[in-house]
């Protein structure tokens, strides 16, 4: 399997090259040249597979040229060493809990897969790789944990100052060793722009072997499709499966769309969004209009120009009508997010985090007859304690696993949002 850039299909490169390079020089995104279709026996048997078996069966189509099957199996066992349970919350509404990994948000799977791929590819190299990653909250922690002490890899995390939760900040600033955090005086889009510019800068690339751990990297993007196989096979209820995905940078939902193209029976998607609702607006009126980023309670989705949008368009053949047929948008503001968290707690005794709340409410409000809804619960509520306490109007006891982290000391270097400061930092 080869990969091309969404901006030019002439050059095709291997999985390994696409993972290491992360971003094509033409500023597009890597995309698989063919989308494999999984027929039988996969679909008649996958109900009884383990998660790592599903992971291997799906991912081998993309990376078997560069990773032998037994190595891929080993990587998948290691990456998916925790459960992804589906919990029935209300009639025909299920929560796929993606927060049982080491940093309590869904990004662990992609970050761990990427770390293990790069670790494997790097065994035969002697140049240190520098991973740049911009985070709106959860990516940084997942990448930090995934790459912590991986030999030959240095990680630099850029995060927007004051715009991530305390627990998120601790996850990305307290490890030390090969992990460095830069606290950027700007928002997530500024952080993302700095990373993109670094990739396009000739001098930086001559000095450092750069790689990105954002969902622009295919090794982070592709394995997220595993969640959707789990969602469909476990969904409880009778009817067509609708998956509601709290979305920001659109890596997760586009991985679901890929799974659908590979044959997984998903009836439709909901792009559940906070006030930063560029994609729901696009779905409504066909125009992609970038507005300034708004800070919300679901901070991991505070993205005004989602970097995976070109992948979505590639999957739907650049056709607005095709997107519209398959995906509905849903937007929820902060006030209604809080109300949803409170309602779900009192009606169903289920504690939502502010991101999952938007996915839940989209189903609650728009699910049709003969549809079964699954929303992706993308983070553990303990990552957003002040919001949970405000919504539920009661004290939320911090779980023991998080309490230890909160007591650790933050280490981060401040950085302005001008590219020149970032470049100086990297060239120093
Ligand atoms: C990253 C994140 C999202 C958004 O996912 P995308 O793939 O960027 O659309 C949603 N919820 C949480 C908790 C996240 O960490």
């Amino acid at each position: 399997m080869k990969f091309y850039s969404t901006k030019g299909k002439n050059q095709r490169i291997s999985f390994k090259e696409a993972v290491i390079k992360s971003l094509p020089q033409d500023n597009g995104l890597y995309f698989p040249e063919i989308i494999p279709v999984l027929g039988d026996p996969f679909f008649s048997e996958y109900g009884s597979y383990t998660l790592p078996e599903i992971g291997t069966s799906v991912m081998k189509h993309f990376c078997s040229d560069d990773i032998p099957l037994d190595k891929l199996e080993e990587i998948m066992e290691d990456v998916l060493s925790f459960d992804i349970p589906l919990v029935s919350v209300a009639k025909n509404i299920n929560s796929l809990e993606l927060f049982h990994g080491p940093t309590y948000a869904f990004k662990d799977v992609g970050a761990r897969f990427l770390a293990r791929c790069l670790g494997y590819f790097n065994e035969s190299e002697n140049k240190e790789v520098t991973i740049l990653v911009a985070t709106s909250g959860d990516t940084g922690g997942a990448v930090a944990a995934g790459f912590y002490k991986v030999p030959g890899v240095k990680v630099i995390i850029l995060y927007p100052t004051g715009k991530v939760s305390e627990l998120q900040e601790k996850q990305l600033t307290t490890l030390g060793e090969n992990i460095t955090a830069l606290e950027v005086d700007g928002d997530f889009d500024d952080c993302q722009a700095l990373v993109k510019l670094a990739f396009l800068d000739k001098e930086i690339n001559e000095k450092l072997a750069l790689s990105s751990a954002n969902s622009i990297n295919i090794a982070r993007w592709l394995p997220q499709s595993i969640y959707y196989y789990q969602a469909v096979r476990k969904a409880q209820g009778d009817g067509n499966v609708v998956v509601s995905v709290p979305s920001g940078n659109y890596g997760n939902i586009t991985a679901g769309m890929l799974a659908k193209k590979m044959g997984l029976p998903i009836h439709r998607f909901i792009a559940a969004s906070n006030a930063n609702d560029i994609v729901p607006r696009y779905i409504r009126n066909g125009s992609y209009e970038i507005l300034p980023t708004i800070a919300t309670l679901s901070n991991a989705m505070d993205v005004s120009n989602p970097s995976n949008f070109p992948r979505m368009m590639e999957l739907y053949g650049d056709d607005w009508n095709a997107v519209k047929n398959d995906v509905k948008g849903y937007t929820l503001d902060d006030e209604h997010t809080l109300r949803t968290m409170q309602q779900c707690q009192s009606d169903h005794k289920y504690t939502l985090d502010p991101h999952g709340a938007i996915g839940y409410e989209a189903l609650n409000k728009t699910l049709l007859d003969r549809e079964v809804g699954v929303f992706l619960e993308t983070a553990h509520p303990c990552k957003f304690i002040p919001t949970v306490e405000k919504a539920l109007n009661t004290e939320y006891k911090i779980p023991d696993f998080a309490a230890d982290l909160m007591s650790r000391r933050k280490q981060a270097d401040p950085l302005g949002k001008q590219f020149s400061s970032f470049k100086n930092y990297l060239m120093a």
Side-chain angles (χ1 to χ4, degrees), residues 105-107 138 224 246-252 300-301 353 355 378-379:
F106 79 83
K107 296 191 173 77
D138 291 319
Q224 303 181 115
S247 294
N249 223 0
Y250 283 75
N252 196 349
M301 292 157 41
D353 96 291
H355 305 77
T378 46

